[in-house]
């Protein structure tokens, strides 16, 4: 896609032409405060995105290895092609992106993130993150494409090529095409700041959660409803089955090497519904399989009814009823899947004695 745009001199930038070129700063894992060899790296990208910025980002990413990287962007824009190239590099590296400035720990100061801005070309680079966050006080804005020089013959054709390239890029990053509409409608010299609601609706930000997937599957034992969602902390899966006048719930939580020890422990179990929790009885069984904790429950009619009416459902394990959750996950029930979930659970409830 980017090759189709080579030779087009275009910018998306709200800053002056003399703005400082983008700096790329990478903190070693042991300096981020997370500790340990498996800690994620922190990359800070600040300033105008210049044509050479992708090469600097690529070199920095080569140093991070498999530990992963959190990328903080604070930029008013710059080179369109470079912005999209940075986004593709970040996606290939499975990086997460944040709008803001990251301050490393110095002397008595504690490391942490502060507000920042991400406009125009930066807004496209930001989309490369697998999990994307815009923190409190930070701003995310789009700006119409403009040429670095004055009007030229063929500008209409150029604009169509650029718009098509941006559309493919946005779609490839899993973001709603409404973002392109906002970009092309905004005046050449203005920035359109997206609200929190707009960013969530367009999937510009996902706050560590990919869209949930709900489906009805058929096996030899009959039909079951399965929900699955990838998050920054792993994949959560939950399934429901009508079995001999019972409603069974199966939860599958990726916990890695802790699975065998967790499977043999004594835990208090809770059903996570929307923003609250509902007590579960002891599970019928709990086993560890290849780093996954698999727990099976028989639900009451009340629990099933609450699930049918909820916008998210999950499972949490605690050492005591009032203790923090040690292990847990939830799967969102988006509006598009709510009817499917409600119909399946209600069908199961209708068969209860």
């Amino acid at each position: 896609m980017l090759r189709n745009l080579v030779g087009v001199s275009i910018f998306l930038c709200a800053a002056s032409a003399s703005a400082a070129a983008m700096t790329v700063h990478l903190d070693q894992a042991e300096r981020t405060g997370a500790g340990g060899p498996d800690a994620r790296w922190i990359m800070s990208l600040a300033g105008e995105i210049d044509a050479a910025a992708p090469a600097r980002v690529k070199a920095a990413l080569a140093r991070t290895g498999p530990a992963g990287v959190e990328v903080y962007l604070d930029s008013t824009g710059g080179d369109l092609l470079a912005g999209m190239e940075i986004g593709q590099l970040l996606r290939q590296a499975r990086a997460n992106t944040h709008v803001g400035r990251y301050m490393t720990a110095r002397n008595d100061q504690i490391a942490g993130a502060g507000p920042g801005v991400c406009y125009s070309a930066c807004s496209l680079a930001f989309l490369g993150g697998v999990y994307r966050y815009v923190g409190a006080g930070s701003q995310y804005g789009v700006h119409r494409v403009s040429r670095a020089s004055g009007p030229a013959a063929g500008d209409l054709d150029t604009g169509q090529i650029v718009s098509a390239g941006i559309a493919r890029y946005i779609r490839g990053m899993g973001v709603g095409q409404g973002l392109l509409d906002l970009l092309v409608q905004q005046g050449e010299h203005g920035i359109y700041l997206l609200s929190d609601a707009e960013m969530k609706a367009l999937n510009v930000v996902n706050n560590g959660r990919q869209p949930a997937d709900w489906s009805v599957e058929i096996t030899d034992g009959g039909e079951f409803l399965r929900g699955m969602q990838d998050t920054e902390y792993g994949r959560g899966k939950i399934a429901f089955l009508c079995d001999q006048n019972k409603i069974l719930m199966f939860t599958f939580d990726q916990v890695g090497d802790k699975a065998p020890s967790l499977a043999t422990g004594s835990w208090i179990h809770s059903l996570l519904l929307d923003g609250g929790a509902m007590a579960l009885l002891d599970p019928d069984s709990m086993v560890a399989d290849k780093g996954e904790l698999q727990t099976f429950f028989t639900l009451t009619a009340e629990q099933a009814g609450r699930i049918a009416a909820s916008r998210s459902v999950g499972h949490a394990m605690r050492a005591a009823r009032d203790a923090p959750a040690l292990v847990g996950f939830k799967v969102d029930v988006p509006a598009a899947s709510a009817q499917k979930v409600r119909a399946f659970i209600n069908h199961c409830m209708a068969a209860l004695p």
Side-chain angles (χ1 to χ4, degrees), residues 1-10 79-82 84-85 88 147 158 161-162 165 168:
M1 180 269 292
L2 292 181
R3 285 196 297 270
N4 294 336
L5 303 182
V6 171
V8 180
S9 179
I10 45 182
D79 187 294
L80 166 70
L81 302 185
M84 290 194 290
E85 188 174 351
Q88 290 179 329
R147 292 180 59 92
T158 296
I161 293 172
V162 171
R168 286 194 295 272

Side-chain angles (χ1 to χ4, degrees), residues 209 214 227-229 236-240 249-253 269-280 295 297 299 303 306-307 310-318 325 327-333 341:
R209 303 178 68 80
W214 287 91
M228 181 171 63
Q229 188 165 24
K237 293 189 293 183
I238 193 165
F240 302 95
M249 180 177 77
F250 306 80
T251 67
F252 307 86
D253 197 358
H269 297 269
S270 298
L271 182 64
L272 300 180
L273 299 167
D274 294 335
M278 186 177 187
L280 286 165
T295 315
F297 299 90
L299 297 176
Q303 290 165 344
R306 292 281 300 277
I307 290 169
S310 294
R311 291 166 297 180
S312 67
V313 58
H315 169 223
M317 294 165 43
R318 295 175 169 85
V327 173
F329 71 93
K330 64 178 182 178
V331 177
D332 298 329
V333 183
V341 173

